[in-house]
Amino acid sequence: MTLDKNFDPAAIEARWYEHWETKGLFRPERDGREPFTIVNPPPNVTGSLHIGHALDNTLQDIIIRHERLKGKDALWVVGMDHAGIATQMVVERQMNERQEKRTDFTREEFVAKVWEWKEESGGTITQQLRRLGCSMDWSNERFTMDDGMNEAVIKVFVDLYNDGLVYRDKRLVNWDPALKTAISDLEVETTDVKGHFWHFKYPLADGVTLDDGRDYIEVATTRPETMLADMAVAVHPSDERYKSVVGKEILQPITGRRFKIVADEHADPELGSGAVKITPGHDFNDFEVGKRAGFAAGEMLNMLDGEANVCQTADGLIPDKYIGLHRFKKDGVNGARELVVQRLKEQGFLIPHISKNQDGEEVEHDAEPRTIATPFGDRGGVVIEPWLTDQWYVDAETLAQPAIEAVKSGAIEIVPKSWEKTWFNWMENIQPWCVSRQLWWGHQIPAWFDEDGNIFVAKDEIEAQTQAGKDVALTRDPDVLDTWFSSALWPFGTLGWPKKTKDLERHYPNDLLISGFDILFFWDARMAMQGIQFMKDVPWKRLYLHGLVRAEDGSKMSKSKGNVIDPLGLINQYGADALRFFMAAMESQGRDIKMDDKRVEGYRNFATKLWNASRFCEANGIGASKTIAAPEAALPVNRWIISEVVETQQALDKALTDLRFDAAANTIYHFAWDRFCDWYLELIKPVLQGQDANAKDETRVVAGWVLDQIIVMLHPFMPFITEELWHAMAQEDGDREYDLIVAQWPAPKAAIDKQAKAEVDWLIKLISEVRSAKVELNIAPGTKLSAHVRDGGEGLAEQIARHAAALDRVGRLETLSFDPAPEGPLAQIVVDGATYVLPLADAIDIDAEKARLNKALEASQKEAKSLSGRLGNPNFVEKAKPEAVEKARADLADKEAEAERLQAAIDRLG
């Protein structure tokens, strides 16, 4: 085939992806080969491709394509997560549009509707991953609620329960009053909100007073409504102000509840009054204080229902006027918070906040204004309420121990290694994992209760009934399991477990997991715990954690800021290959990526350059190679480029093995652009246009082989253009025997030719120096010059003679002699110890050029001096914006480099 004049990504991408998928090339039959396995973090069935997905999946695809080209049985497991909360929300929203509610249907009917939605509308992201070029094993696509995964989830829960590692307990959870379910920490977003800090008097009971005579303790809170369920006041054990009243009682003003003053280190003597009201049933810190004070979870008071409206506490002490109120103002209606503040103010228990106005006069306010870090549900959109409920928990502390040891022993290698500290810190302080959710969509918990509350956990109702006895009435727990519970089984559940399948035997443990650091605890750590528990081996041998993709200014992308980048828009504009290469080139271990459209555009230009280079080859009779090994070569330029291929392949393999994606991308980029396109193709033009038939034949064979190696090595990064070029460059006698996606990784079987490398490197340096001198001296690039050589070493004359054609055609040096240079204006360049004197009498007006250069040098030095003075001023460096200081430093470096270049040009003129 003949390549079109212009490179158009859109014209080739869909065609090649459909070709690969239809022919089953993402998972070719390679049962006898070494296995290599990656599992894709399953995206939500409701999700769309975002820029983080683009990074994560690009990195995975680079690795899997590389391993496939190396001949391995490369498996990239793909599937979707059922996304319990998100999916149920989507379906309920659609129902609301039809004036329907979930509760209008039975559970079974609603779940059936969700499955219908999934078949009709779910999985948009799988098509978008195809746009990105992800070579996943779609023929075995999995879903966290398919039959196989469902079997695995049920077995894991039952086995953990039987081993004492799953249990039911009453604890505080993140409760979303909008969704009416517990949610995980990952689903909580903390936002700074303008609020208030109230100070109140809590009267001491029974006539007790503090040492200073006060008959009350001052407490402060941002949530005054919670005092309806207060159970203690805490003071620090060493706080002298309160030692005499520890163990005494408070008489809470609104409820009349009596509770003790307890000593606990949670109270900070330096913060406020040093006394803290304790509401164990509605605050995570207070819950722990309550336990230390001797309250069992079942004794802790709860004052809110599932919608965050006030309900009566177990002791019945909340006044009726508060019952049914929302926790705080909602839809313009005052809630419990506002009423509590009003009543305490009326009773004289509110301590006003005093400020001064513009005239210096004191002004009283009910509360001190504060900016408060407030937790919101990422989907429900309302303030999260710490809520005391009965939930199912996994004993994460026990499961974490082998996962900690796996990293310590090296059974799991975390890359970058700096993340190990974070891993250990979290795992060693891990809390029980709440795995129950109050939803209908998801894996319903396999637990049944009898009328007395006894629990029977079993794989199905028949087995549970057998445990309970045939005449015992059972009711199944209505809750479902946290989505992360099922995805924690992904590395082995997707391979057929609990059945002993061939895939499970060959592909577990997986070789590598690539993950964003933001799900290190929520997914990665839990996979490690469950994998070791049930497979008695780690889930993967290496864990690579990449950073976030940020906006161009380094800020986090968010819809509210309007700086979210749509990867599909970038693909439409520049092509998937350009976006993929950008992601790889910018992925540096331990750093976030700053989005930069110009860089993406630059990599589109890189693809275009390779396209045009291939068209040049095509036009000059250069086609596909017939060998994997490097061809024989006699010409230095051909021996040089073969050596460059060998070095590039070695560097690329090392970078990919070390998961240095930026180094890998830059290695192939610079070889393809600099060495092959800019130099090799230019240096062989005189050969191809010459009269030596043997030299032309050799060069065509070598050039075709080198282009093949570039196409293969670039394929993991830019799969679409490389597959197109692979077939386009096929010889006229037919197409390739196989597609590039299943080709063989380069194996040059050639040594690095040091002599050829030194010779051609000399040639490149000489031509580059001549070009630089022309730029500095304002000489037109096409102007031909002559050179007179001084101090040349042994063999230099023969070397010059061998490359006379390239020096003339590419370097625009029509003659090089060892005779003395003529009198007149000259420029000198030094390469490898030899001096090349360039007569300039016919090329430029020396006096005018010197004047131009001196004027430019003076201006550069003046600007550099000004910038240096500004940076030497402490006031500027300390007070200016950091970006302004950085710009000044960059400008200074540019001006100093410019001055240095101009001085060198003046020196050349003598």
Side-chain angles (χ1 to χ4, degrees):
M1 62 182 281
T2 302
L3 287 169
D4 292 338
K5 181 178 180 181
N6 297 316
F7 167 54
D8 180 11
I12 64 173
E13 290 178 358
R15 171 164 50 84
W16 279 119
Y17 198 93
E18 183 181 11
H19 173 84
W20 294 327
E21 187 172 0
T22 301
K23 292 187 68 176
L25 299 178
F26 297 147
R27 184 82 192 283
E29 290 293 334
R30 291 178 174 177
D31 286 351
R33 306 285 187 85
E34 178 186 350
F36 184 90
T37 314
I38 293 179
V39 294
N40 183 48
N44 286 352
V45 67
T46 58
S48 294
L49 190 75
H50 58 61
I51 203 72
H53 288 135
L55 169 63
D56 193 69
N57 286 281
T58 291
L59 302 182
Q60 292 177 73
D61 198 40
I62 288 169
I63 294 297
I64 210 71
R65 286 181 183 269
H66 179 230
E67 298 295 341
R68 189 185 294 120
L69 288 167
K70 289 165 70 176
K72 294 182 182 178
D73 175 17
L75 169 62
W76 189 5
V77 175
V78 63
M80 289 186 297
D81 191 291
H82 64 277
I85 294 175
T87 305
Q88 183 160 318
M89 281 185 65
V90 168
V91 175
E92 287 199 64
R93 195 178 298 126
Q94 291 183 352
M95 294 174 71
N96 292 339
E97 292 171 0
R98 299 191 297 269
Q99 307 301 311
E100 296 175 342
K101 299 196 301 267
R102 170 170 56 93
T103 51
D104 294 340
F105 302 89
T106 66
R107 182 184 190 125
E108 291 71 22
E109 289 170 339
F110 176 78
V111 169
K113 287 182 177 294
V114 181
W115 278 107
E116 287 175 13
W117 172 88
K118 189 253 181 189
E119 295 306 315
E120 293 173 4
S121 307
T124 298
I125 194 168
T126 62
Q127 297 304 318
Q128 296 169 335
L129 288 170
R130 287 172 167 89
R131 289 284 312 276
L132 189 63
C134 298
S135 57
M136 297 155 160
D137 184 16
W138 296 108
S139 63
N140 293 299
E141 184 179 353
R142 301 303 303 269
F143 184 54
T144 49
M145 280 187 62
D146 65 29
D147 290 342
M149 284 297 296
N150 190 59
E151 181 184 0
V153 168
I154 297 299
K155 178 173 175 54
V156 164
F157 187 91
V158 172
D159 286 359
L160 288 175
Y161 179 81
N162 291 334
D163 290 339
L165 296 171
V166 159
Y167 56 93
R168 193 165 170 82
D169 194 10
K170 186 182 290 289
R171 294 175 61 91
L172 280 185
V173 297
N174 296 310
W175 185 262
D176 189 319
L179 302 178
K180 293 188 279 295
T181 181
I183 62 175
S184 71
D185 291 343
L186 182 64
E187 294 155 326
V188 175
E189 294 181 344
T190 299
T191 304
D192 285 340
V193 174
K194 289 184 178 179
H196 296 89
F197 198 44
W198 288 269
H199 294 253
F200 299 105
K201 299 175 182 177
Y202 262 22
L204 292 158
D206 304 322
V208 173
T209 60
L210 298 175
D211 292 344
D212 62 6
R214 283 183 295 158
D215 61 355
Y216 65 89
I217 286 182
E218 179 182 340
V219 295
T221 180
T222 59
R223 304 176 66 208
E225 68 278 7
T226 60
M227 68 173 58
L228 298 175
D230 276 357
M231 298 184 72
V233 165
V235 296
H236 196 276
S238 64
D239 196 329
E240 294 292 337
R241 294 171 295 178
Y242 303 114
K243 277 191 173 181
S244 65
V245 296
V246 171
K248 305 299 183 182
E249 291 188 332
I250 292 289
L251 184 62
Q252 209 280 332
I254 289 179
T255 62
R257 184 180 301 119
R258 296 173 69 104
F259 46 76
K260 291 187 181 299
I261 300 165
V262 299
D264 193 283
E265 292 185 353
H266 170 65
D268 184 351
E270 303 298 322
L271 187 62
S273 68
V276 184
K277 60 184 283 301
I278 301 300
T279 318
H282 293 281
D283 183 277
F284 288 102
N285 289 322
D286 291 4
F287 179 77
E288 298 301 325
V289 174
K291 286 200 301 182
R292 290 193 291 271
F295 294 112
E299 298 171 333
M300 296 178 184
L301 298 177
N302 174 53
M303 54 162 282
L304 296 173
D305 63 17
E307 295 180 341
N309 297 322
V310 177
C311 63
Q312 187 56 268
T313 51
D315 60 8
L317 292 178
I318 297 180
D320 290 344
K321 65 183 68 175
Y322 293 89
I323 304 301
L325 293 178
H326 194 61
R327 52 189 167 163
F328 43 67
K329 182 181 284 189
K330 179 181 179 183
D331 300 329
V333 178
N334 283 343
R337 175 177 298 177
E338 290 73 25
L339 184 56
V340 164
V341 172
Q342 178 188 336
R343 288 289 184 268
L344 289 177
K345 184 177 182 180
E346 291 170 352
Q347 296 170 18
F349 293 112
L350 174 69
I351 301 174
H353 171 67
I354 307 297
S355 68
K356 290 186 178 181
N357 61 20
Q358 293 180 339
D359 298 327
E361 299 169 336
E362 290 189 347
V363 180
E364 285 191 1
H365 306 274
D366 285 353
E368 174 188 354
R370 282 278 184 96
T371 298
I372 303 165
T374 306
F376 285 81
D378 65 348
R379 291 188 172 87
V382 300
V383 176
I384 293 303
E385 185 65 43
W387 205 46
L388 196 60
T389 62
D390 291 307
Q391 303 283 348
W392 288 94
Y393 291 88
V394 169
D395 180 0
E397 183 179 3
T398 298
L399 292 178
Q401 302 313 308
I404 293 171
E405 185 54 38
V407 174
K408 287 182 177 179
S409 69
I412 293 176
E413 177 192 2
I414 297 180
V415 181
K417 190 176 177 64
S418 56
W419 279 105
E420 285 186 3
K421 183 178 180 181
T422 306
W423 174 276
F424 293 136
N425 183 59
W426 189 75
M427 296 289 257
E428 288 166 358
N429 296 281
I430 199 166
Q431 298 297 308
W433 173 18
C434 176
V435 293
S436 45
R437 298 290 181 266
Q438 290 63 55
L439 303 169
W440 281 3
W441 171 246
H443 298 277
Q444 190 171 357
I445 293 174
W448 286 260
F449 301 90
D450 65 15
E451 292 178 352
D452 296 325
N454 296 310
I455 302 172
F456 304 93
V457 172
K459 68 178 181 179
D460 54 36
E461 189 168 5
I462 295 174
E463 186 176 299
Q465 194 70 65
T466 301
Q467 292 180 22
K470 65 178 182 178
D471 295 327
V472 177
L474 295 179
T475 302
R476 187 168 184 177
D477 191 323
D479 291 353
V480 299
L481 287 165
D482 176 16
T483 298
W484 296 103
F485 188 91
S486 51
S487 57
L489 317 183
W490 203 241
F492 56 94
T494 55
L495 298 175
W497 188 91
K499 296 181 178 66
K500 294 182 179 179
T501 64
K502 184 175 73 173
D503 272 350
L504 185 64
E505 183 181 351
R506 280 180 57 75
H507 292 281
Y508 190 94
N510 308 160
D511 291 270
L512 172 67
L513 177 71
I514 293 179
S515 165
F517 71 81
D518 52 334
I519 56 173
L520 173 61
F521 310 131
F522 303 103
W523 189 49
D524 306 345
R526 288 165 177 170
M527 280 190 289
M529 291 189 282
Q530 299 286 44
I532 297 172
Q533 174 70 15
F534 288 94
M535 296 299 296
K536 308 308 176 189
D537 201 351
V538 297
W540 7 259
K541 300 162 191 171
R542 304 176 84 191
L543 168 60
Y544 180 82
L545 296 169
H546 59 75
L548 301 176
V549 183
R550 295 185 175 273
E552 191 169 356
D553 62 0
S555 64
K556 191 172 182 179
M557 291 187 188
S558 71
K559 291 179 182 178
S560 61
K561 293 180 181 178
N563 62 355
V564 174
I565 300 295
D566 177 14
L568 295 177
L570 293 173
I571 290 174
N572 292 336
Q573 188 171 2
Y574 303 113
D577 285 334
L579 177 60
R580 289 168 60 104
F581 204 91
F582 167 82
M583 291 298 182
M586 300 301 288
E587 171 53 27
S588 180
Q589 289 185 9
R591 296 183 180 180
D592 289 341
I593 291 175
K594 290 183 181 180
M595 197 62 227
D596 186 346
D597 284 18
K598 288 294 183 184
R599 291 290 293 264
V600 181
E601 183 181 8
Y603 293 126
R604 158 68 190 265
N605 296 340
F606 171 53
T608 300
K609 189 174 183 75
L610 185 61
W611 183 272
N612 291 335
S614 301
R615 291 184 67 241
F616 168 85
C617 290
E618 193 177 57
N620 284 274
I622 298 168
S625 176
K626 294 184 180 296
T627 66
I628 299 296
E632 294 292 327
L635 294 179
V637 71
N638 289 331
R639 290 167 21 228
W640 165 76
I641 197 65
I642 289 171
S643 297
E644 291 286 321
V645 169
V646 173
E647 289 187 335
T648 299
Q649 184 244 322
Q650 291 174 350
L652 186 55
D653 274 338
K654 185 179 188 309
L656 289 175
T657 298
D658 294 342
L659 301 174
R660 295 279 181 182
F661 292 96
D662 53 347
N666 290 327
T667 295
I668 185 59
Y669 176 90
H670 288 297
F671 173 66
W673 186 300
D674 301 339
R675 310 310 262 176
F676 181 73
C677 295
D678 280 358
W679 284 111
Y680 179 70
L681 293 185
E682 289 298 315
L683 293 175
I684 65 172
K685 285 178 181 177
V687 179
L688 296 175
Q689 295 165 5
Q691 303 302 313
D692 188 332
N694 290 334
K696 287 196 281 190
D697 288 344
E698 174 193 303
T699 300
R700 288 192 178 100
V701 170
V702 171
W705 178 83
V706 174
L707 182 56
D708 267 9
Q709 309 316 298
I710 290 173
I711 290 171
V712 176
M713 289 189 288
L714 187 58
H715 179 73
F717 305 88
M718 291 182 149
F720 294 112
I721 187 176
T722 50
E723 189 75 76
E724 181 78 3
L725 295 178
W726 175 258
H727 290 277
M729 298 309 298
Q731 300 287 2
E732 295 179 0
D733 55 358
D735 198 3
R736 304 272 192 173
E737 295 180 12
Y738 41 79
D739 291 301
L740 174 59
I741 191 174
V742 289
Q744 184 174 330
W745 189 249
K749 297 181 180 177
I752 295 172
D753 190 324
K754 293 182 180 179
Q755 180 183 347
K757 274 183 62 64
E759 190 165 315
V760 177
D761 285 346
W762 159 83
L763 176 63
I764 290 172
K765 279 189 283 185
L766 177 55
I767 294 172
S768 298
E769 287 294 327
V770 171
R771 289 174 174 174
S772 295
K774 285 182 176 180
V775 170
E776 291 166 0
L777 299 172
N778 207 24
I779 300 173
T783 303
K784 285 204 170 187
L785 301 175
S786 60
H788 297 263
V789 186
R790 284 202 321 252
D791 308 323
E794 184 180 348
L796 182 58
E798 292 81 2
Q799 192 165 284
I800 289 173
R802 280 195 296 274
H803 297 283
L807 287 167
D808 182 20
R809 170 69 188 269
V810 183
R812 311 302 286 168
L813 287 174
E814 54 188 349
T815 60
L816 286 92
S817 75
F818 287 80
D819 299 330
E823 294 293 326
L826 305 168
Q828 299 183 22
I829 56 179
V830 178
V831 176
D832 292 349
T835 301
Y836 298 83
V837 183
L838 310 176
L840 302 175
D842 299 329
I844 56 171
D845 181 333
I846 295 297
D847 292 336
E849 185 58 24
K850 278 187 176 180
R852 183 188 72 81
L853 290 171
N854 277 302
K855 184 177 180 181
L857 175 61
E858 184 179 344
S860 293
Q861 289 174 333
K862 184 178 180 180
E863 288 187 48
K865 183 177 180 181
S866 174
L867 288 164
S868 180
R870 193 187 312 171
L871 289 167
N873 182 349
N875 287 331
F876 171 72
V877 175
E878 293 170 7
K879 295 180 180 179
K881 292 182 178 180
E883 53 267 31
V885 177
E886 284 304 311
K887 185 178 185 305
R889 285 174 177 153
D891 290 346
L892 175 60
D894 288 344
K895 291 302 174 184
E896 288 177 340
E898 182 179 301
E900 189 176 327
R901 178 180 62 78
L902 291 167
Q903 185 62 59
I906 294 169
D907 293 343
R908 289 187 197 279
L909 293 175

PDB file of all heavy atoms in Angstrom, residues 686-702:
ATOM      1  N   PRO A 686      22.913  11.086   0.066  1.00  0.00           N
ATOM      2  CA  PRO A 686      23.967  11.036  -0.973  1.00  0.00           C
ATOM      3  C   PRO A 686      24.232   9.605  -1.455  1.00  0.00           C
ATOM      4  O   PRO A 686      24.564   9.410  -2.626  1.00  0.00           O
ATOM      5  CB  PRO A 686      25.185  11.613  -0.253  1.00  0.00           C
ATOM      6  CG  PRO A 686      24.632  12.451   0.843  1.00  0.00           C
ATOM      7  CD  PRO A 686      23.397  11.740   1.289  1.00  0.00           C
ATOM      8  N   VAL A 687      24.097   8.622  -0.559  1.00  0.00           N
ATOM      9  CA  VAL A 687      24.317   7.222  -0.961  1.00  0.00           C
ATOM     10  C   VAL A 687      23.223   6.791  -1.935  1.00  0.00           C
ATOM     11  O   VAL A 687      23.499   6.208  -2.988  1.00  0.00           O
ATOM     12  CB  VAL A 687      24.324   6.297   0.266  1.00  0.00           C
ATOM     13  CG1 VAL A 687      24.533   4.847  -0.162  1.00  0.00           C
ATOM     14  CG2 VAL A 687      25.402   6.719   1.253  1.00  0.00           C
ATOM     15  N   LEU A 688      21.977   7.073  -1.597  1.00  0.00           N
ATOM     16  CA  LEU A 688      20.852   6.660  -2.446  1.00  0.00           C
ATOM     17  C   LEU A 688      20.872   7.368  -3.796  1.00  0.00           C
ATOM     18  O   LEU A 688      20.359   6.840  -4.795  1.00  0.00           O
ATOM     19  CB  LEU A 688      19.531   6.946  -1.731  1.00  0.00           C
ATOM     20  CG  LEU A 688      19.292   6.167  -0.426  1.00  0.00           C
ATOM     21  CD1 LEU A 688      18.012   6.627   0.249  1.00  0.00           C
ATOM     22  CD2 LEU A 688      19.236   4.657  -0.694  1.00  0.00           C
ATOM     23  N   GLN A 689      21.479   8.554  -3.848  1.00  0.00           N
ATOM     24  CA  GLN A 689      21.548   9.304  -5.098  1.00  0.00           C
ATOM     25  C   GLN A 689      22.864   9.087  -5.832  1.00  0.00           C
ATOM     26  O   GLN A 689      23.099   9.664  -6.897  1.00  0.00           O
ATOM     27  CB  GLN A 689      21.339  10.791  -4.810  1.00  0.00           C
ATOM     28  CG  GLN A 689      19.942  11.105  -4.266  1.00  0.00           C
ATOM     29  CD  GLN A 689      19.830  12.482  -3.657  1.00  0.00           C
ATOM     30  OE1 GLN A 689      20.783  13.265  -3.714  1.00  0.00           O
ATOM     31  NE2 GLN A 689      18.685  12.793  -3.057  1.00  0.00           N
ATOM     32  N   GLY A 690      23.725   8.251  -5.258  1.00  0.00           N
ATOM     33  CA  GLY A 690      25.028   8.000  -5.851  1.00  0.00           C
ATOM     34  C   GLY A 690      25.006   6.907  -6.908  1.00  0.00           C
ATOM     35  O   GLY A 690      23.950   6.391  -7.285  1.00  0.00           O
ATOM     36  N   GLN A 691      26.196   6.509  -7.340  1.00  0.00           N
ATOM     37  CA  GLN A 691      26.324   5.535  -8.423  1.00  0.00           C
ATOM     38  C   GLN A 691      26.693   4.133  -7.943  1.00  0.00           C
ATOM     39  O   GLN A 691      26.683   3.197  -8.737  1.00  0.00           O
ATOM     40  CB  GLN A 691      27.408   6.025  -9.408  1.00  0.00           C
ATOM     41  CG  GLN A 691      27.131   7.397  -9.988  1.00  0.00           C
ATOM     42  CD  GLN A 691      25.796   7.450 -10.730  1.00  0.00           C
ATOM     43  OE1 GLN A 691      25.490   6.558 -11.537  1.00  0.00           O
ATOM     44  NE2 GLN A 691      25.004   8.484 -10.458  1.00  0.00           N
ATOM     45  N   ASP A 692      27.006   3.992  -6.645  1.00  0.00           N
ATOM     46  CA  ASP A 692      27.453   2.694  -6.127  1.00  0.00           C
ATOM     47  C   ASP A 692      26.224   1.824  -5.837  1.00  0.00           C
ATOM     48  O   ASP A 692      25.532   1.997  -4.841  1.00  0.00           O
ATOM     49  CB  ASP A 692      28.264   2.910  -4.847  1.00  0.00           C
ATOM     50  CG  ASP A 692      28.935   1.638  -4.354  1.00  0.00           C
ATOM     51  OD1 ASP A 692      28.408   0.539  -4.630  1.00  0.00           O
ATOM     52  OD2 ASP A 692      29.958   1.742  -3.655  1.00  0.00           O
ATOM     53  N   ALA A 693      25.955   0.878  -6.720  1.00  0.00           N
ATOM     54  CA  ALA A 693      24.761   0.033  -6.601  1.00  0.00           C
ATOM     55  C   ALA A 693      24.792  -0.810  -5.333  1.00  0.00           C
ATOM     56  O   ALA A 693      23.763  -0.991  -4.665  1.00  0.00           O
ATOM     57  CB  ALA A 693      24.621  -0.855  -7.832  1.00  0.00           C
ATOM     58  N   ASN A 694      25.984  -1.349  -4.997  1.00  0.00           N
ATOM     59  CA  ASN A 694      26.079  -2.176  -3.792  1.00  0.00           C
ATOM     60  C   ASN A 694      25.795  -1.358  -2.532  1.00  0.00           C
ATOM     61  O   ASN A 694      25.113  -1.827  -1.601  1.00  0.00           O
ATOM     62  CB  ASN A 694      27.471  -2.802  -3.693  1.00  0.00           C
ATOM     63  CG  ASN A 694      27.680  -3.866  -4.749  1.00  0.00           C
ATOM     64  OD1 ASN A 694      26.727  -4.478  -5.233  1.00  0.00           O
ATOM     65  ND2 ASN A 694      28.931  -4.081  -5.135  1.00  0.00           N
ATOM     66  N   ALA A 695      26.315  -0.141  -2.516  1.00  0.00           N
ATOM     67  CA  ALA A 695      26.077   0.727  -1.358  1.00  0.00           C
ATOM     68  C   ALA A 695      24.593   1.075  -1.239  1.00  0.00           C
ATOM     69  O   ALA A 695      24.029   1.100  -0.134  1.00  0.00           O
ATOM     70  CB  ALA A 695      26.915   2.007  -1.482  1.00  0.00           C
ATOM     71  N   LYS A 696      23.954   1.325  -2.382  1.00  0.00           N
ATOM     72  CA  LYS A 696      22.523   1.645  -2.341  1.00  0.00           C
ATOM     73  C   LYS A 696      21.710   0.446  -1.862  1.00  0.00           C
ATOM     74  O   LYS A 696      20.790   0.599  -1.045  1.00  0.00           O
ATOM     75  CB  LYS A 696      22.054   2.094  -3.726  1.00  0.00           C
ATOM     76  CG  LYS A 696      22.547   3.495  -4.100  1.00  0.00           C
ATOM     77  CD  LYS A 696      21.776   4.076  -5.267  1.00  0.00           C
ATOM     78  CE  LYS A 696      22.264   3.497  -6.582  1.00  0.00           C
ATOM     79  NZ  LYS A 696      21.689   4.228  -7.733  1.00  0.00           N
ATOM     80  N   ASP A 697      22.043  -0.741  -2.368  1.00  0.00           N
ATOM     81  CA  ASP A 697      21.300  -1.934  -1.952  1.00  0.00           C
ATOM     82  C   ASP A 697      21.463  -2.182  -0.456  1.00  0.00           C
ATOM     83  O   ASP A 697      20.487  -2.464   0.258  1.00  0.00           O
ATOM     84  CB  ASP A 697      21.785  -3.155  -2.738  1.00  0.00           C
ATOM     85  CG  ASP A 697      21.341  -3.115  -4.195  1.00  0.00           C
ATOM     86  OD1 ASP A 697      20.433  -2.320  -4.500  1.00  0.00           O
ATOM     87  OD2 ASP A 697      21.916  -3.869  -5.009  1.00  0.00           O
ATOM     88  N   GLU A 698      22.707  -2.075   0.014  1.00  0.00           N
ATOM     89  CA  GLU A 698      22.955  -2.279   1.447  1.00  0.00           C
ATOM     90  C   GLU A 698      22.178  -1.268   2.288  1.00  0.00           C
ATOM     91  O   GLU A 698      21.539  -1.616   3.295  1.00  0.00           O
ATOM     92  CB  GLU A 698      24.446  -2.136   1.744  1.00  0.00           C
ATOM     93  CG  GLU A 698      24.775  -2.200   3.244  1.00  0.00           C
ATOM     94  CD  GLU A 698      26.191  -1.760   3.570  1.00  0.00           C
ATOM     95  OE1 GLU A 698      27.133  -2.364   3.014  1.00  0.00           O
ATOM     96  OE2 GLU A 698      26.343  -0.818   4.366  1.00  0.00           O
ATOM     97  N   THR A 699      22.176  -0.010   1.869  1.00  0.00           N
ATOM     98  CA  THR A 699      21.519   1.051   2.625  1.00  0.00           C
ATOM     99  C   THR A 699      20.017   0.854   2.661  1.00  0.00           C
ATOM    100  O   THR A 699      19.365   1.077   3.691  1.00  0.00           O
ATOM    101  CB  THR A 699      21.887   2.422   2.032  1.00  0.00           C
ATOM    102  OG1 THR A 699      23.313   2.589   2.112  1.00  0.00           O
ATOM    103  CG2 THR A 699      21.187   3.553   2.782  1.00  0.00           C
ATOM    104  N   ARG A 700      19.433   0.438   1.542  1.00  0.00           N
ATOM    105  CA  ARG A 700      17.992   0.185   1.525  1.00  0.00           C
ATOM    106  C   ARG A 700      17.621  -0.940   2.494  1.00  0.00           C
ATOM    107  O   ARG A 700      16.617  -0.851   3.207  1.00  0.00           O
ATOM    108  CB  ARG A 700      17.528  -0.157   0.104  1.00  0.00           C
ATOM    109  CG  ARG A 700      17.516   1.022  -0.852  1.00  0.00           C
ATOM    110  CD  ARG A 700      16.775   0.698  -2.136  1.00  0.00           C
ATOM    111  NE  ARG A 700      16.726   1.850  -3.023  1.00  0.00           N
ATOM    112  CZ  ARG A 700      17.525   2.034  -4.067  1.00  0.00           C
ATOM    113  NH1 ARG A 700      18.444   1.124  -4.373  1.00  0.00           N
ATOM    114  NH2 ARG A 700      17.428   3.123  -4.817  1.00  0.00           N
ATOM    115  N   VAL A 701      18.427  -1.986   2.508  1.00  0.00           N
ATOM    116  CA  VAL A 701      18.150  -3.108   3.412  1.00  0.00           C
ATOM    117  C   VAL A 701      18.272  -2.661   4.865  1.00  0.00           C
ATOM    118  O   VAL A 701      17.400  -2.954   5.705  1.00  0.00           O
ATOM    119  CB  VAL A 701      19.101  -4.290   3.118  1.00  0.00           C
ATOM    120  CG1 VAL A 701      18.978  -5.343   4.224  1.00  0.00           C
ATOM    121  CG2 VAL A 701      18.791  -4.905   1.765  1.00  0.00           C
ATOM    122  N   VAL A 702      19.350  -1.928   5.192  1.00  0.00           N
ATOM    123  CA  VAL A 702      19.561  -1.480   6.573  1.00  0.00           C
ATOM    124  C   VAL A 702      18.477  -0.486   6.993  1.00  0.00           C
ATOM    125  O   VAL A 702      17.903  -0.589   8.081  1.00  0.00           O
ATOM    126  CB  VAL A 702      20.959  -0.859   6.740  1.00  0.00           C
ATOM    127  CG1 VAL A 702      21.092  -0.201   8.122  1.00  0.00           C
ATOM    128  CG2 VAL A 702      22.031  -1.917   6.558  1.00  0.00           C
TER     129      VAL A 702
END
